[in-house]
Amino acid sequence: MTTAQYGAITVEPFGDSAVMVTIPHADQAIRRAGIVAFRDRFLAHRPHGVLDVVSGLESLLIEFDPMQTALEHVEYAARLVARWAPSPADGPARRRAVRTFAIPVVFDDDSGPDMASVAEELGMAPADVVEAIAESTFTIALLGAAMAPMMDGLKVPGPVRRRAEPRTDVAPGAIMIAGTNAIIQPFPGPTGWRVVGRTPHTIVDISRPDPVSFGTGDIVRFVPVTRDEASALDAGFLLPTEEAV
């Protein structure tokens, strides 16, 4: 995707040591695809003084060290990268194969403590919510904090609200939903997303040379299993079901 396809970026100060990048386009799909393309470009041409790049579905937070660079320099670099720098995905030789993942998930009360409230909010029975999740085809839009896969594609009657009070300690492997998106919790930690199930697979393993097996653009399906079926699986590090060009 070129800059001409998604238009000019917007770069705004975010405190004293960060800028927020967005793409002011009317089409949500273009905004989301554009921010992924910009992120790839920016990381491939990372300017001096940039400390971290935090991805959102439709935004990118660029954190920098104000002792090494200045806000106007980071803003200029972001606009320059968006306009001129080639994306790692621009050439066909660099394009990675799309992988698909069929991920077993336990959707019982212990694994999905927010399922009942989600079902009530959507006006559905919990079993129907599970069926809707299982019938949805998710696409990984970005890798969030701790390489968590954030996905588009949840097909339910309406967007799911986040929790009014975030949970403080969610188990790794938790399947969580919010809006029309889903995410998998890689490590124990807090979240405001609604927890609806859990997979027995290890999603991120930092002891491996490649700590994740998935990337942006990959396809995910969630497969409901019972707790006994999950226990019987050899569910170690998550691997793709298949790979296609």
Side-chain angles (χ1 to χ4, degrees):
M1 174 174 287
T2 66
T3 306
Q5 287 175 284
Y6 59 73
I9 63 171
T10 296
V11 186
E12 298 177 317
F14 197 85
D16 296 330
S17 57
V19 297
M20 182 71 76
V21 177
T22 55
I23 295 173
H25 197 284
D27 189 319
Q28 182 189 69
I30 291 179
R31 293 197 303 270
R32 292 186 174 187
I35 208 68
V36 170
F38 173 79
R39 177 182 179 274
D40 290 344
R41 289 167 181 256
F42 192 82
L43 289 176
H45 304 274
R46 190 181 185 126
H48 172 74
V50 169
L51 299 176
D52 198 9
V53 175
V54 183
S55 297
L57 282 173
E58 298 183 20
S59 63
L60 197 73
L61 183 69
I62 302 172
E63 299 177 344
F64 61 89
D65 183 347
M67 299 297 290
Q68 297 186 47
T69 187
L71 185 148
E72 57 267 27
H73 296 157
V74 176
E75 178 180 359
Y76 175 77
R79 295 187 187 282
L80 195 64
V81 166
R83 185 173 182 182
W84 296 114
S87 167
D90 284 346
R94 294 174 179 266
R95 187 174 300 147
R96 65 184 291 277
V98 172
R99 296 175 175 180
T100 62
F101 295 81
I103 302 179
V105 179
V106 178
F107 287 103
D108 61 17
D109 291 341
D110 290 336
S111 299
D114 290 318
M115 177 61 80
S117 62
V118 169
E120 182 179 3
E121 177 183 324
L122 294 173
M124 304 170 68
D128 293 334
V129 177
V130 172
E131 184 177 356
I133 293 172
E135 290 181 352
S136 298
T137 298
F138 295 92
T139 302
I140 298 178
L142 60 89
L143 302 188
M147 295 175 280
M150 189 179 294
M151 297 162 272
D152 292 323
L154 177 62
K155 302 300 182 185
V156 291
V160 177
R161 293 194 299 267
R162 294 194 182 210
R163 286 180 55 87
E165 183 177 341
R167 295 185 180 277
T168 58
D169 190 19
V170 175
I175 309 300
M176 305 179 294
I177 60 176
T180 57
N181 307 111
I183 194 168
I184 307 176
Q185 183 88 339
F187 303 107
T191 184
W193 290 54
R194 309 282 279 279
V195 181
V196 295
R198 187 181 180 192
T199 179
H201 278 291
T202 298
I203 302 302
V204 178
D205 184 350
I206 60 175
S207 69
R208 297 172 63 95
D210 295 318
V212 299
S213 58
F214 46 79
T216 55
D218 287 344
I219 305 300
V220 171
R221 299 292 300 269
F222 293 125
V223 181
V225 296
T226 66
R227 186 172 291 271
D228 288 342
E229 289 171 335
S231 297
L233 293 173
D234 183 17
F237 182 70
L238 178 67
L239 294 172
T241 308
E242 59 183 270
E243 184 173 272
V245 175

